[in-house]
Amino acid sequence: MDNTNRRGTAGRGRGEVRIPATTVAHERRGRRQWGSDTHKDPMPAIPVPVTDRTIAIGRFAIVATVIAWATFVTVLFIEEFVQGRAFTRQFGVEAIVYVVLMTLLTASAVAYLTARLGFFYRARDHWRVPRADLERAFAEAAPSLTVLVPSYQEEGRVVRMTLLSAALQEYPGLRVVLLVDDAPDVRYTRPRALLAAARALPAEVSELLAGPATRYRQAQDRFRDVHAAGGAVRLKEMHALAGLYEDAVSWLGSLAAAHPRVDHSDDFFRDHVIGRLAGDLSLTARALRSAAAEGATLAVARLEQLHARLVSIFTAELSSFERKRYVSLSHEANKAMNLNSYIGLMGRRFHDVPTPAGRALVPAEDGATAFPDSDYILTLDADSVLLPEYCIRLVHLLEQSEHRRIAVAQTPYSSYPGSATRLERIAGATTDLQHIVHQGMTYYDATFWVGANAVLRKRALEEIVDVRHQGGWEIRRYVQDRTVIEDTDSSIDLRIHGWQLLNYPERLSYSSTPPDFGALCIQRRRWANGGLLILPKLRRQARAQSRRGEEKRFGEYFLRVNYMASIAWSTLALLVLLVYPFNDQILNPVLVFVALPYFLMVAADLRYCGYRRLDVLRVYAFNLLLVPVNLAGAGNSAVQWLTGGKVAFRRTPKVSDRTTTPLLFSLAPYALLGLSVYTIVNDVLGQRWVNLAYASLNAVLCTYAIVAFVGVRNSIVDIWVNLVSLLRQPEKSRRPGRAAPVRVTGTQSVADWAAVLHHGAEDHVPMVPGALAPEAGRVPSMGIPHESLRRTG
C-alpha cells in the first residue's frame, strides 16, 4: 500500500492549527516504555482510497486462501482415506479433527479478507458532503438530538474531555446528559470525590461555554435585525463576521492551553479535537477576509448560516441524571440499563415523590419534571471523544430519504495515537484493524452497533422496546442487557424488525485502550462473552426477512456468524493445536499457503494504519496472551446458557495505577510457554519436524509477549497479591445488618407503620431504619402503588 497513509505523514486535517504548548504545569502519568507508539497524529478522517492494484491483491488473497484450503483437504482425504494411510481409528479421528480446526481458522481468515475488501470499495466510492450543504440543510430546523454519556466512577478529567467534545459539536439545539451511575450514598473518599466531580461537570462546562455563546448569539441577533427588511451585505459585515471566527479561535486556544496534559489522550484532545475545530474556524475567517479584500460579498442567507454555525458550536444544554436515586428505575449494574432508564423517561412527565422505599418518578401528564423527547439519541462512552463534525454529518446522513430505515449510524472508534506502553500500542493496532473490518462489514449489510458511540433513531428503539414490571414499576429495555455485549444483541433485534445499521466511512471518534494487562483482561473477557448466546437469533432474523420478502445475502450471514462465534472457535482451535501433538503425516506444506495470504494482508493493513509490517508478529503474540481470556469469556457464555442467569457486567478499569491481573490469567502465559517447551522436547524426540517449527514459533512469541506486554516483575507481583488474598482470612463486615422483621402482637403499636403497610409483614421484607423520609408522612395518590398509605389521623 502507499506509504503516504502513515500516521506521521497524513494526520493533519485541512486547516488544522497547532496550538502552542500549555502554560499550565501538569505532571504526566507514568514513563514511556521502549517500543511505545511514537506517532502523534492520527489517521486521516477521510480514508485515503487505495489503488486498483491493492484491491486486486485483496481479491487474489481470498482466492488463494480458498484454493490452498481446498487443496489441503483434498490431498489429505486422498492420502489418508483413499490410499489407506489412516490405518488406525486414532489416526483417522486426528485427521478429521485437524481438518475441522483448519476449516474454522480458514473461515475466520476469509471473513477478515472479505471485510477488508468491502472497506476498500467503500473508501474508493466515498463522497463527502460539502460544509455549505450541511449548513443549508440545518438552517431552518434541525432534528432534535440528545447525547447520553453513561459514566461510572470515571476520572473527572476524562469525562470533561468527553462532555466538551460533545458540547462543541457543530449541531444546533444539542442536549448533553451525563448519566452518572455511581451509588448516591458512597462512603469512601475516592468514589465520593469522583461522584462530586461528575455532578459538577455539566454546570462547569455550561458556564465555560456561556461567554462565547452569548457573544455570538447577540451578534447573530444584530445581523438579523439589520437585514430583516432586506438589503445588501456590506464588506464591513464580512470583516466583522471574520473577527467573530477569529475570536472563537482565540477562545479555543485558551481552552486548549488550560487543559491538563496527563497522557496521550489529553494531547489528542488538545491537538485534534480542539485544534481541528480551531483550524476549521481559522480557515473560514481567512476565507471571509480574502473574499472581502477582493470586493466579493456573500448572500445574506449564507452569512446567516455562518453566524448560526458559531452559535451552534458554543450552545448546548448540559445536565446530569442519576437513576440510582430513584426506586422506580432499574439499578442493575450495567451500561445498558443506565441508558434504558433515561431513554424510557424521554418524552414523558413525572412527579418526583417520596415513598416508603425511597424517591420515585411517578408518571403524570401535569408532572413538574419533564424529560424532553428527541428524534435521535447519541450514546457516547465517558472515555471517548468525537471530532467536531460527527453529529452534523451522521444526522444529515440519517435524514436522507434513502436512509429512512437506518436505525444506527456510527463511526467505529479508533485508538489514540502516542500510547505510552507496548501493550497499549499493539492493543490499539488491533482496534484500528477492527475499524477496517467494521467499515467493510457495512458493504455486506452486516454492520454491528459498536457501543462506544452511535447515533440511534429513537423511532427504531421504540419498535424493539421490551416492557416489563419489577417491584410494581415499569421497566423498559431498549438496549438488551441479557449479555454483556448489549450492542451486538440489539443489532440483531433491529435487523429482525427490518432496520438497517450503517458505519459512516470516516474516522470521527476515538476511545481509550487499556494500558496494562489486568485492565485488558477485563475488557477482552467481556468482549468474548455472549456471542454464542446471540447466535441463534440469526434464525429469527432470517425468518423475519423471509416474511418481508427481503433478499438474504450470504455475505451478511457469513460475517455475522464469524463476528459472534469466531472468538470461541478460533481460540479453541489454537489451543488444541498448541496442546495436541498431531501426527506429522497429517501436516502438509500446503498449510503454509492457507495462512500466508491472511498474515500478509494483516501486515499490509497495519502499514496502512501507520504501524510496522513486522507488528503482525507482535499481534500474534498479543493474541497468544488472550487465549485463556477468550476461553474464559466463551466459558461464561456456556454457563449462562446452562443456568439461564446473567453474567456480572465488569467495566474496564480507568485508573492511574496498574490493574492487578487475576491469578488464572497471570499464570496462563507461563503455562502456555511451558506447554510449548514441552511440545518442542517431544517433537525433537519423536522427530516431528513440522510441528517442532510451529511449537518453536509459539514459544518465542509467547516469551516475547510475557516480557514486552505483561512484564515478568508485574506478573510475579500479581501472582503474589492473588495468593496472599486467597490465604488471608477476610474480616467480618462491621456494617449494620438487617433489622428484625416487624412482628405485631396484641395491641403493640408500630412506629414505622407506613413501611409495614407498604411492604407487608412477610419475614423476607427487612425494616430499614430511616427508610421513610420525614416528608413522606403523606404519600400522594399520583399513581403510587398502594394508595391506602395515607395518614388519616
Side-chain angles (χ1 to χ4, degrees):
M1 296 183 185
D2 192 73
N3 290 344
T4 59
N5 298 338
R6 295 177 62 189
R7 289 188 181 184
T9 58
R12 294 192 185 184
R14 181 170 60 92
E16 186 169 333
V17 168
R18 284 289 185 178
I19 298 175
T22 177
T23 57
V24 183
H26 294 283
E27 183 181 354
R28 283 188 172 272
R29 178 177 295 168
R31 297 177 57 187
R32 296 186 64 83
Q33 291 182 348
W34 176 85
S36 60
D37 192 4
T38 59
H39 294 106
K40 298 299 182 184
D41 294 321
M43 289 280 290
I46 305 173
V48 179
V50 299
T51 63
D52 291 338
R53 177 175 174 270
T54 300
I55 293 178
I57 293 174
R59 293 169 179 164
F60 176 76
I62 297 176
V63 174
T65 302
V66 173
I67 291 177
W69 169 81
T71 302
F72 163 72
V73 173
T74 303
V75 170
L76 183 65
F77 178 79
I78 292 174
E79 290 181 348
E80 308 303 333
F81 299 101
V82 176
Q83 297 179 359
R85 219 164 59 173
F87 51 86
T88 65
R89 180 178 298 177
Q90 177 183 352
F91 198 97
V93 171
E94 284 187 11
I96 294 173
V97 170
Y98 198 82
V99 168
V100 171
L101 296 180
M102 292 308 302
T103 300
L104 293 175
L105 293 175
T106 303
S108 294
V110 171
Y112 177 85
L113 297 175
T114 303
R116 73 187 291 272
L117 199 58
F119 166 74
F120 292 153
Y121 293 148
R122 300 191 70 218
R124 182 184 59 183
D125 300 335
H126 177 53
W127 176 78
R128 204 170 203 239
V129 179
R131 281 280 334 177
D133 291 351
L134 293 175
E135 292 165 5
R136 188 181 305 112
F138 294 102
E140 297 298 329
S144 54
L145 174 63
T146 300
V147 183
L148 301 182
V149 183
S151 170
Y152 176 77
Q153 292 189 0
E154 299 280 359
E155 187 178 346
R157 175 188 60 87
V158 176
V159 181
R160 184 176 182 270
M161 285 193 294
T162 301
L163 292 181
L164 278 171
S165 77
L168 290 172
Q169 287 291 304
E170 304 180 29
Y171 195 89
L174 190 66
R175 297 181 65 247
V176 181
V177 183
L178 179 64
L179 303 180
V180 182
D181 214 23
D182 304 26
D185 55 350
V186 289
R187 297 180 301 165
Y188 299 104
T189 302
R190 177 171 170 76
R192 189 166 59 245
L194 292 175
L195 175 59
R199 287 172 172 172
L201 274 173
E204 176 189 331
V205 175
S206 296
E207 183 179 357
L208 188 66
L209 300 178
T214 301
R215 289 197 301 272
Y216 307 143
R217 193 179 301 111
Q218 291 174 348
Q220 182 186 38
D221 292 339
R222 288 194 299 268
F223 181 83
R224 286 175 174 173
D225 293 341
V226 170
H227 294 278
V233 174
R234 294 171 294 180
L235 294 180
K236 70 174 186 179
E237 290 177 323
M238 294 180 62
H239 282 293
L241 181 56
L244 292 176
Y245 272 77
E246 290 165 351
D247 176 75
V249 172
S250 176
W251 187 90
L252 290 170
S254 300
L255 175 66
H259 183 75
R261 300 179 64 185
V262 177
D263 57 27
H264 60 294
S265 65
D266 298 298
D267 293 334
F268 181 90
F269 176 74
R270 174 180 174 271
D271 294 339
H272 301 288
V273 177
I274 304 294
R276 185 184 297 270
L277 179 58
D280 287 345
L281 299 183
S282 176
L283 188 64
T284 303
R286 295 200 303 271
L288 286 169
R289 291 204 183 276
S290 298
E294 295 178 4
T297 56
L298 301 180
V300 173
R302 182 61 182 134
L303 287 183
E304 167 65 22
Q305 293 168 10
L306 292 175
H307 274 285
R309 181 188 181 191
L310 275 183
V311 174
S312 65
I313 289 174
F314 293 94
T315 302
E317 178 188 342
L318 287 97
S319 61
S320 64
F321 181 77
E322 300 176 47
R323 61 165 174 144
K324 291 180 179 177
R325 299 175 64 185
Y326 300 99
V327 297
S328 54
L329 301 177
S330 171
H331 289 195
E332 293 194 39
N334 56 64
K335 183 177 71 174
M337 291 313 300
N338 192 11
L339 291 169
N340 288 332
S341 296
Y342 190 86
I343 296 174
L345 302 176
M346 295 178 67
R348 305 164 70 191
R349 304 184 70 91
F350 297 85
H351 283 301
D352 186 340
V353 300
T355 73
R359 294 173 61 184
L361 291 173
V362 180
E365 293 185 359
D366 60 342
T369 304
F371 295 85
D373 206 353
S374 188
D375 297 315
Y376 296 100
I377 297 172
L378 166 58
T379 60
L380 178 63
D381 279 1
D383 61 346
S384 302
V385 298
L386 306 175
L387 297 188
E389 294 184 343
Y390 182 98
C391 290
I392 194 170
R393 291 199 174 276
L394 267 63
V395 173
H396 179 267
L397 175 85
L398 291 168
E399 284 292 289
Q400 305 308 302
S401 59
E402 64 268 25
H403 294 144
R404 62 184 181 277
R405 292 300 297 176
I406 299 292
V408 178
Q410 63 187 0
T411 64
Y413 69 89
S414 302
S415 62
Y416 291 122
S419 54
T421 66
R422 291 181 291 267
L423 180 134
E424 188 174 3
R425 175 177 174 271
I426 297 303
T430 62
T431 297
D432 292 337
L433 291 176
Q434 281 298 310
H435 177 93
I436 292 176
V437 170
H438 280 288
Q439 292 287 7
M441 290 170 71
T442 296
Y443 183 81
Y444 305 96
D445 295 330
T447 309
F448 279 97
W449 171 22
V450 181
N453 65 91
V455 178
L456 314 175
R457 196 186 296 269
K458 179 75 179 326
R459 184 164 58 89
L461 294 180
E462 296 291 351
E463 289 192 17
I464 64 171
V465 63
D466 177 24
V467 181
R468 300 183 184 181
H469 288 80
Q470 179 178 322
W473 303 105
E474 181 184 83
I475 303 297
R476 299 188 177 193
R477 283 178 171 83
Y478 301 88
V479 183
Q480 292 298 328
D481 67 329
R482 183 171 62 108
T483 67
V484 293
I485 48 173
E486 69 285 339
D487 43 10
T488 303
D489 204 350
S490 299
S491 298
I492 305 301
D493 288 339
L494 290 168
R495 291 293 291 125
I496 291 172
H497 286 77
W499 291 96
Q500 297 282 345
L501 300 92
L502 183 141
N503 287 315
Y504 187 71
E506 295 186 13
R507 292 181 183 266
L508 298 178
S509 61
Y510 287 79
S511 190
S512 298
T513 304
D516 61 80
F517 187 59
L520 182 78
C521 288
I522 295 174
Q523 182 195 67
R524 298 304 171 100
R525 182 176 182 176
R526 185 175 70 245
W527 290 2
N529 180 18
L532 297 177
L533 296 173
I534 305 170
L535 197 60
K537 275 191 174 183
L538 287 180
R539 296 180 59 187
R540 292 175 54 193
Q541 177 187 331
R543 289 196 296 267
Q545 286 184 283
S546 298
R547 288 194 300 268
R548 292 191 297 266
E550 296 179 4
E551 179 185 1
K552 295 188 287 291
R553 299 179 61 184
F554 171 78
E556 175 186 357
Y557 284 88
F558 172 59
L559 292 177
R560 289 197 186 280
V561 170
N562 178 77
Y563 183 82
M564 290 186 283
S566 64
I567 291 181
W569 77 46
S570 297
T571 304
L572 185 61
L574 182 59
L575 183 64
V576 172
L577 293 175
L578 287 171
V579 172
Y580 191 84
F582 286 93
N583 195 300
D584 259 10
Q585 294 183 8
I586 298 176
L587 306 179
N588 192 296
V590 178
L591 287 175
V592 175
F593 297 98
V594 176
L596 188 61
Y598 168 77
F599 285 104
L600 289 177
M601 294 303 100
V602 171
D605 293 343
L606 287 170
R607 179 69 170 176
Y608 179 83
C609 294
Y611 300 91
R612 305 183 185 94
R613 293 181 187 274
L614 283 179
D615 283 335
V616 66
L617 296 177
R618 296 183 176 90
V619 170
Y620 182 86
F622 175 83
N623 287 329
L624 283 178
L625 286 181
L626 294 180
V627 166
V629 178
N630 291 334
L631 282 177
N636 284 342
S637 296
V639 171
Q640 185 174 347
W641 179 76
L642 290 172
T643 63
K646 292 182 182 179
V647 174
F649 181 88
R650 292 198 64 188
R651 295 173 171 87
T652 306
K654 314 309 194 294
V655 295
S656 56
D657 299 325
R658 193 174 57 83
T659 304
T660 302
T661 306
L663 182 60
L664 173 63
F665 302 146
S666 297
L667 294 173
Y670 293 97
L672 286 175
L673 178 58
L675 180 61
S676 298
V677 173
Y678 174 78
T679 304
I680 289 173
V681 174
N682 283 340
D683 288 341
V684 171
L685 296 177
Q687 298 184 348
R688 293 186 293 267
W689 308 119
V690 177
N691 202 61
L692 172 65
Y694 178 66
S696 300
L697 176 65
N698 286 325
V700 171
L701 293 180
C702 189
T703 303
Y704 172 81
I706 293 173
V707 174
F709 299 149
V710 181
V712 176
R713 179 178 179 275
N714 289 340
S715 60
I716 293 175
V717 170
D718 290 343
I719 292 171
W720 174 256
V721 169
N722 280 282
L723 291 177
V724 170
S725 65
L726 289 175
L727 296 175
R728 181 183 300 165
Q729 181 70 25
E731 295 183 3
K732 294 183 179 180
S733 175
R734 296 182 178 273
R735 290 180 296 177
R738 291 181 173 181
V742 177
R743 300 181 184 276
V744 182
T745 57
T747 59
Q748 178 183 354
S749 62
V750 181
D752 208 352
W753 57 268
V756 174
L757 295 178
H758 182 76
H759 290 295
E762 294 89 345
D763 288 341
H764 68 275
V765 178
M767 283 294 298
V768 182
L772 182 60
E775 65 271 22
R778 296 191 306 275
V779 179
S781 58
M782 293 180 272
I784 298 179
H786 311 293
E787 285 190 7
S788 58
L789 301 186
R790 296 195 185 105
R791 284 189 187 271
T792 56

